[in-house]
Amino acid sequence: MTYLSDLNEKQREAAQTTIGPVLILAGAGAGKTKTVTYRILHLIKQGTAPKNILAITFTNKAAKEMRERVMALIAKDKELNLPLSFNERPFVSTFHSLGVHIIKENAQRLGLTRHFTIFDRSDSRRAVKAAVVEMGLDPKQYDPSVILSIISKEKGNCMNVDKFSETVGNEYMREIVWKAWQKYEVALKKEKALDFDDLLLKAKELLEIEEVRIRYTSLWKYVHIDEYQDTNKVQYSIAKLITGESKNICVVGDVDQNIYSWRGADIKNILNFERDFPGAKMVTLEENYRSTQTILEAANHIIKKNKNRFEKNLFTRQGPGEKIKLYQAFDEGDEARFVAATAAELIENGVDPREIAVLYRANFQSRALEEAMIDKGLDYQVLGVKFFERKEVRDVLSFVRAALNRDSITDIERIINVPPRGIGKVSMAKIFSGMIDAMSPAHQEKWRQFNVLLDEIRQKSETERPSEVVKFVVKYSGLEDMLKDGTDEDLERLENIKELASLAMRYDVMPQGEGISKLLEDAALATDQDEMEEEKRATRLMTVHASKGLEFEYVFITGLEQDLFPHRGMESKNGSKRDEEEERRLFYVALTRAKKRLYLSYASIRTIFGSRQMAVPSEFVLDIPDEHLAHEEKVRAGGKVIYFDI
């Protein structure tokens, strides 16, 4: 099997174990994606039809990378000679995209069409706020975001609104959350829409129908699930349901990188895998291909204090590398200047700015860092500014969604006066109440013309390539004329819309009608990491949570002060060890993002909520053996540095 020669011994063992349940414990940078893609190649080489293979991961970025790597391996293998069509390929997707796929194929069972609308978080917040107002309550007192967060968490725990009513105990949950949830579900049903969490919950409910489940377990005979430690209850349920009787499931994960319990990820799913799937084989990947041994030694020392984990020790053959740089700053301004000055020096010495990442525990820390970057004249990019959340981009997509789903009141409200058509709130109320005859003839004509436009967009969506559909919307909606004669900001918005047309070209190769649907789906499911503009040569600024799954040659981990990192907000009232362990796992994730060089920094004084507070070094810094650290003693402009012996 020379095609597996690129794998190390443990990777090869994982790739060749294809029958029954398999747990691949893959340490950071241990080549888990490579192992899974070669495992898929091995299955195909052994006679499995590509269409019988399913692989699920968490982000669009990760799914795209895995899909491309699988297809590259297949194309490279001369013995296979398999020109695969779109429908014959292995099905590689995110959990949410898998949910969309299952729901679309069974839409009638849910009273939906294939063109159902996906509510993003802002759509959901608006609908919940409307529910709160309808209940006669003040949204400022009863925050729709808090209510939506509770609903989201309950759906992630496999709870629907009817079950919730049977289990809810306290008055706030019954009188506020449950009643708002009921009205929210009515709004979703009226618009033939599902929210982000429904994509998983409804897929799980469909798979509980024997006829539906048998269809998919017969199709997907080999199931792979990446980042298994990040699965919540509903994702865990989908994994078990879709695996079928053969139990040919291969999960890949790392207990030490479980950092999402706050959004429902349950570490027990991976810890109990061998109990859930008796006879499971466990393969541990410990050889790291990313970082230096010094970085790995620090990471190993940090994580070994945790109790809820499988024992493993990362190692590399790449040599010790440089010591970890530790900078003790006077305050956050001094820390930020150190980061910016060091980044500037690296760039001057030929380092690609995209290979430099600055990580922080809390979003508020970015302000001082951004100011220092600007002062130094450095290009930077803050991860989390979503392309698909820009108003002008959402407007174009809403035209297409409204054309394909006329029940999507949310989309129609968004675009009915984009550009202004003179249809006011009174007329809109009549439209949505079915009282169009009560409108003036002039307003009836405007509504008719708007519907003609939507009819034309729908026709284009069914017959034209996605990029042409976007261009049609921009031109014939009036958006182009409105923006091109406007301010500089308007011209920038027009550029963003043109960028959407360029992005849509990626979907032009798909079968007729499917491309535009996939574009809308991907836009709705986009994550922060999908917004990283690879072509922009800029230093990345992001939270540690956002850095998961990424890697950079040079990494700064800032704000390493007790109560900031580890974060005080993560401590539970009863002193639960689990929260403390998750913060430690979060620092472990931060350390293992670095390939060549790692910088740690903390401030002696930090301004938080307008108050200057004394700070002490994080326990995490103290846990790293001193032989792995090199103290940065350079004083930066803007204040005297106070040093501590550690």
Side-chain angles (χ1 to χ4, degrees):
M1 297 180 185
T2 55
Y3 58 89
L4 297 178
S5 60
D6 285 347
L7 303 181
N8 66 37
E9 182 183 349
K10 286 295 184 180
Q11 290 172 332
R12 199 155 47 243
E13 181 184 354
Q16 290 178 287
T17 307
T18 57
I19 303 302
V22 181
L23 168 59
I24 302 175
L25 283 176
K32 66 182 177 68
T33 303
K34 182 179 183 180
T35 303
V36 173
T37 54
Y38 271 89
R39 189 178 194 272
I40 292 171
L41 174 67
H42 179 64
L43 283 167
I44 296 171
K45 293 277 284 185
Q46 297 300 303
T48 302
K51 67 180 181 181
N52 294 143
I53 300 170
L54 172 68
I56 312 170
T57 187
F58 270 76
T59 66
N60 293 326
K61 182 176 182 290
K64 181 174 180 286
E65 180 188 356
M66 186 178 290
R67 193 180 303 118
E68 289 174 349
R69 288 171 72 165
V70 167
M71 296 312 296
L73 284 177
I74 292 171
K76 183 181 175 183
D77 196 302
K78 298 291 190 291
E79 294 178 6
L80 281 175
N81 192 26
L82 285 175
L84 300 179
S85 74
F86 187 78
N87 294 323
E88 293 172 335
R89 300 175 181 181
F91 193 99
V92 183
S93 82
T94 63
F95 263 108
H96 287 90
S97 291
L98 173 68
V100 171
H101 178 79
I102 292 171
I103 291 166
K104 280 186 175 180
E105 292 197 333
N106 300 274
Q108 287 185 323
R109 290 179 183 267
L110 299 174
L112 299 169
T113 69
R114 288 182 61 86
H115 296 301
F116 66 87
T117 295
I118 301 173
F119 268 25
D120 62 21
R121 290 302 185 199
S122 61
D123 294 329
S124 293
R125 273 193 300 272
R126 189 163 53 250
V128 171
K129 182 179 179 181
V132 170
V133 171
E134 191 180 333
M135 291 162 64
L137 302 174
D138 183 357
K140 292 180 180 177
Q141 184 177 356
Y142 298 95
D143 188 346
S145 294
V146 173
I147 295 171
L148 179 61
S149 178
I150 295 170
I151 293 171
S152 177
K153 189 170 184 180
E154 292 297 334
K155 287 185 177 183
N157 285 325
C158 300
M159 188 73 69
N160 59 35
V161 67
D162 297 325
K163 287 182 185 175
F164 185 72
S165 68
E166 299 166 6
T167 60
V168 67
N170 70 59
E171 187 176 348
Y172 175 78
M173 289 294 199
R174 175 168 291 280
E175 295 301 315
I176 306 300
V177 177
W178 179 52
K179 289 182 178 179
W181 191 351
Q182 285 180 303
K183 293 182 182 297
Y184 174 52
E185 291 297 326
V186 169
L188 286 167
K189 189 173 182 179
K190 184 177 180 182
E191 297 198 35
K192 288 189 170 56
L194 297 177
D195 68 17
F196 207 62
D197 302 296
D198 286 330
L199 301 180
L200 300 180
L201 184 59
K202 298 298 183 185
K204 175 252 184 189
E205 291 173 355
L206 285 168
L207 289 170
E208 288 174 333
I209 302 169
E210 186 176 9
E211 181 186 346
V212 175
R213 183 171 65 256
I214 290 173
R215 176 184 171 191
Y216 292 109
T217 55
S218 299
L219 172 62
W220 293 318
K221 297 175 181 177
Y222 295 90
V223 177
H224 303 76
I225 301 177
D226 193 13
E227 305 287 8
Y228 194 66
Q229 78 281 348
D230 291 337
T231 53
N232 61 14
K233 189 173 181 179
V234 70
Q235 289 161 335
Y236 166 81
S237 300
I238 290 171
K240 291 203 75 175
L241 286 165
I242 214 162
T243 297
E245 297 301 318
S246 67
K247 305 298 181 191
N248 288 332
I249 179 172
C250 172
V251 304
V252 188
D254 183 4
V255 178
D256 297 334
Q257 296 187 70
N258 172 268
I259 59 173
Y260 295 121
S261 67
W262 50 275
R263 67 183 190 197
D266 192 342
I267 196 172
K268 293 197 297 290
N269 291 347
I270 190 167
L271 290 173
N272 294 339
F273 182 80
E274 292 170 292
R275 187 198 69 185
D276 292 338
F277 295 92
K281 179 170 183 176
M282 184 166 74
V283 182
T284 306
L285 306 183
E286 296 176 294
E287 183 170 357
N288 177 285
Y289 294 91
R290 176 188 300 161
S291 308
T292 66
Q293 189 62 39
T294 296
I295 292 170
L296 297 180
E297 289 289 346
N300 288 334
H301 269 91
I302 287 296
I303 205 63
K304 71 181 180 182
K305 281 194 171 183
N306 278 3
K307 302 288 187 264
N308 292 317
R309 64 187 296 263
F310 294 108
E311 183 60 36
K312 71 176 188 306
N313 271 291
L314 297 180
F315 69 92
T316 183
R317 303 177 198 273
Q318 299 185 81
E322 298 183 38
K323 287 189 174 186
I324 297 167
K325 315 293 184 186
L326 177 63
Y327 185 70
Q328 306 166 50
F330 172 65
D331 59 14
E332 67 269 19
D334 179 39
E335 177 186 53
R337 286 188 291 274
F338 161 73
V339 170
T342 307
E345 192 176 320
L346 290 170
I347 293 167
E348 286 170 13
N349 290 331
V351 174
D352 187 331
R354 292 170 293 188
E355 286 294 341
I356 303 172
V358 184
L359 311 184
Y360 37 84
R361 178 61 182 83
N363 277 304
F364 77 84
Q365 292 172 252
S366 73
R367 182 197 58 80
L369 293 164
E370 287 187 66
E371 287 179 0
M373 292 284 173
I374 292 168
D375 287 344
K376 264 291 179 185
L378 297 178
D379 289 330
Y380 67 91
Q381 181 183 7
V382 180
L383 190 60
V385 181
K386 294 186 178 181
F387 176 76
F388 288 116
E389 285 188 356
R390 291 167 179 161
K391 181 185 182 302
E392 59 276 12
V393 173
R394 293 188 68 189
D395 287 345
V396 173
L397 295 174
S398 281
F399 272 106
V400 182
R401 280 201 297 264
L404 296 175
N405 176 13
R406 295 299 177 88
D407 293 309
S408 183
I409 296 170
T410 298
D411 287 309
I412 290 173
E413 278 186 325
R414 168 176 281 278
I415 57 168
I416 197 166
N417 281 308
V418 178
R421 291 182 176 83
I423 300 177
K425 290 184 178 180
V426 174
S427 294
M428 277 197 281
K430 291 176 181 176
I431 289 168
F432 297 138
S433 301
M435 300 170 59
I436 296 170
D437 291 342
M439 294 164 60
S440 70
H443 284 104
Q444 287 186 45
E445 176 59 20
K446 289 173 183 176
W447 173 242
R448 187 193 69 79
Q449 289 177 3
F450 179 72
N451 278 278
V452 168
L453 173 62
L454 294 185
D455 286 338
E456 291 174 339
I457 294 171
R458 182 185 182 96
Q459 183 184 2
K460 294 286 182 184
S461 297
E462 293 170 347
T463 58
E464 298 282 349
R465 292 175 298 178
S467 59
E468 295 302 320
V469 175
V470 171
K471 291 175 185 175
F472 180 86
V473 170
V474 173
K475 183 175 182 180
Y476 290 96
S477 67
L479 270 168
E480 185 174 35
D481 288 338
M482 180 181 78
L483 295 174
K484 72 180 182 183
D485 295 325
T487 63
D488 288 344
E489 188 176 338
D490 287 335
L491 292 174
E492 186 177 334
R493 287 174 178 161
L494 184 57
E495 289 298 318
N496 289 334
I497 294 174
K498 289 179 179 177
E499 179 62 24
L500 177 62
S502 299
L503 184 147
M505 291 177 68
R506 300 179 191 174
Y507 301 82
D508 286 351
V509 297
M510 296 180 70
Q512 199 170 67
E514 289 185 21
I516 195 69
S517 181
K518 183 63 175 166
L519 171 62
L520 294 176
E521 176 190 327
D522 287 350
L525 304 183
T527 65
D528 287 352
Q529 287 191 7
D530 298 319
E531 302 307 316
M532 291 202 54
E533 301 168 33
E534 295 298 333
E535 71 279 1
K536 187 173 181 180
R537 289 176 58 83
T539 298
R540 285 15 178 174
L541 274 60
M542 68 190 82
T543 64
V544 180
H545 280 102
S547 74
K548 174 89 171 358
L550 304 176
E551 58 181 44
F552 305 90
E553 291 185 356
Y554 302 87
V555 172
F556 295 82
I557 307 175
T558 63
L560 282 167
E561 297 128 39
Q562 203 65 14
D563 293 341
L564 181 53
F565 199 3
H567 201 274
R568 182 167 49 195
M570 288 293 290
E571 294 176 6
S572 62
K573 291 178 183 177
N574 62 5
S576 167
K577 287 283 185 186
R578 178 169 179 175
D579 292 337
E580 294 174 16
E581 291 203 352
E582 181 149 333
E583 284 294 290
R584 192 166 284 275
R585 291 194 293 269
L586 191 58
F587 185 54
Y588 173 84
V589 166
L591 291 171
T592 53
R593 298 312 93 200
K595 294 196 281 188
K596 284 186 178 180
R597 195 184 299 167
L598 189 58
Y599 299 86
L600 310 180
S601 62
Y602 66 89
S604 304
I605 296 172
R606 187 173 296 274
T607 304
I608 299 177
F609 298 125
S611 172
R612 286 173 70 79
Q613 302 173 12
M614 292 292 295
V616 296
S618 167
E619 64 189 76
F620 298 153
V621 174
L622 304 178
D623 285 343
I624 298 174
D626 201 51
E627 65 261 28
H628 299 317
L629 296 172
H631 295 257
E632 290 279 291
E633 299 287 336
K634 200 170 182 180
V635 178
R636 303 284 167 182
K640 183 180 178 183
V641 181
I642 300 174
Y643 295 103
F644 294 89
D645 291 326
I646 63 170

